[in-house]
Amino acid sequence: MAGTAVRGRLTWQTATVDSVTDETPSVRTISLSVPDWAGHRAGQHLDIRLTAEDGYRAERSYSIASAPGEPVAITVERLDDGEVSPYLTEELRAGDEIELRGPIGGYFVWDGGASDSAPLLLLAGGSGVVPQRAILRHRSRVGSSVPVRLLYSARSWAEAIYRSELGAEPDGVQVIYTLTRERPPGWTGYARRVDQAMITEVAWPAAQAPAAYVCGPTSFVEAVAADLVALGYPPQRVKTERFGATGAP
Ligand SMILES: Cc1cc2nc3c(=O)[nH]c(=O)nc-3n(C[C@H](O)[C@H](O)[C@H](O)COP(=O)(O)OP(=O)(O)OC[C@H]3O[C@@H](n4cnc5c(N)ncnc54)[C@H](O)[C@@H]3O)c2cc1C
């Protein structure tokens, strides 16, 4: 009917913070109760809108960290000079209300159905591991046996997000870290930024027709996607999600 607001994924609504959980000193997971949530797919994101007392508004996108069927959660990395992330990671408390809309995006998704039977190669830089975590959780929940390799680039072990969860490595999942700036004593894993040689060692051979999901800062995503294509991955098998120029992992 004309003039009637149709509620949907692009309608702003008020959610309530259920809990906040520190993942690292600068990263926090925020679980939300969203009254009018149509359900989401692994790999989608949502938008958050903050409104200041003078009416100034700021909107940012955040990947959904939880699997379909789980309560909505986002995981936010604090950028000290950022406008929105310091509020989300430092000020927001359980019981607070926040405006959001979503779920958004149908491209960077993995549904785990019959058409998603190819080996998965997940490549994450920094907080780019958030949608990858949703994909891994979804894989477990639907009982998929698709083999997965996750190559995760973090600045240091202390800054690696979801360490205990990823360390559990369910059957068929391999998590490979590279720590670009600081390593714990005795570290034997990769210790440099992701490069062509590392991708060649870690990636499933292109002949196995794998599906690749690359997420993180724009420069990381562009370099990694180009390396995968050079390795013989067809561009349409390399899905990318760019978080913006939010620092190199
Ligand atoms: C689809 C999508 C999903 C995302 N998912 C996540 C997620 O799961 N987790 C997460 O932490 N982030 C995610 N992001 C990034 C997120 O949307 C924000 O960009 C991030 O939180 C920073 O927002 P901010 O307001 O704190 O920083 P901003 O105020 O936007 O600043 C970001 C950086 O840009 C610099 N900057 C700002 N303005 C200027 C300027 N005029 N000139 C030069 N430099 C400037 C700042 O110094 C800062 O370092 C996602 C982004 C997209 C697009």
Side-chain angles (χ1 to χ4, degrees), residues 45-46 60-64 74-79 81-86 88 127-128 130-131 241-246:
H45 65 275
L46 52 74
R60 297 290 184 273
S61 299
Y62 292 96
S63 295
I64 300 168
I74 57 173
T75 300
V76 181
E77 177 176 19
R78 185 184 68 241
L79 303 184
D81 56 352
E83 211 170 48
V84 170
S85 60
L88 297 178
S127 54
V130 176
E241 184 94 287
R242 294 162 174 78
F243 278 7
T246 51

Side-chain angles (χ1 to χ4, degrees), residues 76-247:
V76 181
E77 177 176 19
R78 185 184 68 241
L79 303 184
D80 288 329
D81 56 352
E83 211 170 48
V84 170
S85 60
Y87 174 80
L88 297 178
T89 51
E90 287 173 341
E91 308 291 329
L92 206 60
R93 298 276 177 273
D96 287 353
E97 293 187 330
I98 190 160
E99 271 191 301
L100 62 76
R101 65 179 179 186
I104 298 170
Y107 163 71
F108 195 83
V109 297
W110 185 82
D111 289 323
S115 60
D116 284 324
S117 57
L120 269 179
L121 180 65
L122 309 179
L123 299 114
S127 54
V129 73
V130 176
Q132 320 283 29
R133 185 244 206 165
I135 290 173
L136 286 173
R137 287 176 86 110
H138 184 50
R139 175 187 174 279
S140 293
R141 284 170 65 92
V142 298
S144 165
S145 55
V146 160
V148 185
R149 285 185 190 151
L150 165 63
L151 175 59
Y152 179 15
S153 175
R155 281 181 288 248
S156 66
W157 190 239
E159 288 169 275
I161 307 170
Y162 311 136
R163 277 195 311 267
S164 55
E165 181 172 333
L166 296 179
E169 291 203 357
D171 269 0
V173 177
Q174 278 174 275
V175 181
I176 302 126
Y177 288 92
T178 183
L179 302 179
T180 57
R181 301 217 184 141
E182 268 178 48
R183 269 76 53 187
W187 177 256
T188 55
Y190 288 119
R192 59 184 199 270
R193 292 173 77 164
V194 174
D195 56 23
Q196 179 79 64
M198 194 185 297
I199 289 181
T200 305
E201 284 170 13
V202 169
W204 304 106
Q208 293 183 18
Y213 289 72
V214 189
C215 185
T218 301
S219 56
F220 170 89
V221 170
E222 286 176 359
V224 167
D227 286 345
L228 286 170
V229 171
L231 204 59
Y233 279 53
Q236 67 274 17
R237 299 293 284 169
V238 181
K239 298 196 178 187
T240 55
E241 184 94 287
R242 294 162 174 78
F243 278 7
T246 51

